[in-house]
Amino acid sequence: MSERPLQHDTNAAIAHDLRSPMNAVMGLADLLAMSRPLTDKQAEFIRTLKRATVALNEQVNRLLGSHEQSVSVQGPDRPHPAPSKTTAKPRVLLVDDYAPNVLVVATYLEKFGYDYDIADNGIEAVSLTKANRYVACLMDVQMQDMDGIEATMAIRDFETQERQPHLPIIGVTAHALSGDRERCLDAGMDAYVAKPFNPSDLETRLAALITA
């Protein structure tokens, strides 16, 4: 009997435990970089923190045999588009069971001009999509109780049975093992990003799906 599925699950769990804190560190470094004014010492500290996190991420990729590309370090002065000045912001459903990730991604969503609801597991995510309308969903893949794959399939079944509009879903995962992207798309997700992600790339993907 083959042990490859078990090894895949083990690597995925290890990758999730290692990369979730790294994603949070990168996000917090970006938030610190947006503070003004920055002293030279503070700016150098942020750059050093990012370089160290990227280097650690690359080592994890090599050790786990991941195909994930290393995240690029953004300079602290990279401009961000101003949020849309509308009274009713488009609402995104953020699904993640790791509090630091939620804090980071929620902060970015606000800067991108979105409002959001938070679900900390797949069961709650399915319930919220049945009760509310969202322009998109950021779905963590690996969660307790009901993971992102199962939640996405449940949402797609609900849409089909109730003839509801298609909700754009972006799969977000802390691991990028071979076949993960295909699993996400086969489950009905529209796109896929790996943590730590590039904020500008996430913003672009969201905008493209929402306006499609």
Side-chain angles (χ1 to χ4, degrees), residues 28 31 94 98-108 116 118:
L28 292 174
L31 293 179
L94 170 57
Y98 189 63
N101 285 345
V102 172
L103 173 62
V104 171
V105 178
T107 301
Y108 282 131
Y116 57 87
I118 298 172

Side-chain angles (χ1 to χ4, degrees), residues 87-162:
T87 55
K89 295 180 180 179
R91 185 174 291 270
V92 173
L93 177 60
L94 170 57
V95 188
D96 200 313
D97 62 353
Y98 189 63
N101 285 345
V102 172
L103 173 62
V104 171
V105 178
T107 301
Y108 282 131
L109 288 175
E110 290 180 357
K111 294 190 71 66
F112 299 159
Y114 297 105
D115 204 345
Y116 57 87
D117 286 336
I118 298 172
D120 59 12
N121 59 62
I123 296 173
E124 186 175 353
V126 174
S127 177
L128 285 173
T129 57
K130 291 180 178 180
N132 303 284
R133 291 289 181 88
Y134 300 100
V135 296
C137 172
L138 296 177
M139 180 75 74
D140 188 32
V141 173
Q142 189 174 22
M143 294 180 291
Q144 299 294 326
D145 299 325
M146 176 185 283
D147 64 26
I149 298 294
E150 296 169 322
T152 298
M153 295 174 67
I155 291 170
R156 295 303 181 223
D157 286 343
F158 167 74
E159 291 172 345
T160 299
Q161 294 171 6
E162 301 297 327

Side-chain angles (χ1 to χ4, degrees), residues 6-111:
L6 177 60
Q7 184 63 41
H8 181 281
D9 292 343
T10 301
N11 285 350
I14 294 173
H16 180 271
D17 291 342
L18 289 174
R19 292 200 181 102
S20 289
M22 286 191 289
N23 184 56
V25 170
M26 289 295 289
L28 292 174
D30 281 335
L31 293 179
L32 289 173
M34 295 173 194
S35 303
R36 293 292 185 274
L38 281 176
T39 66
D40 291 342
K41 183 176 293 187
Q42 289 171 331
E44 179 58 30
F45 169 77
I46 293 170
R47 286 193 291 268
T48 301
L49 182 62
K50 284 189 173 185
R51 285 195 295 267
T53 306
V54 169
L56 180 58
N57 180 61
E58 291 174 345
Q59 291 180 10
V60 170
N61 288 344
R62 289 193 293 269
L63 289 172
L64 295 179
S66 169
H67 298 291
E68 178 183 347
Q69 294 181 347
S70 301
V71 65
S72 59
V73 177
Q74 290 183 297
D77 296 323
R78 184 184 179 104
H80 288 260
S84 174
K85 296 181 180 180
T86 57
T87 55
K89 295 180 180 179
R91 185 174 291 270
V92 173
L93 177 60
L94 170 57
V95 188
D96 200 313
D97 62 353
Y98 189 63
N101 285 345
V102 172
L103 173 62
V104 171
V105 178
T107 301
Y108 282 131
L109 288 175
E110 290 180 357
K111 294 190 71 66

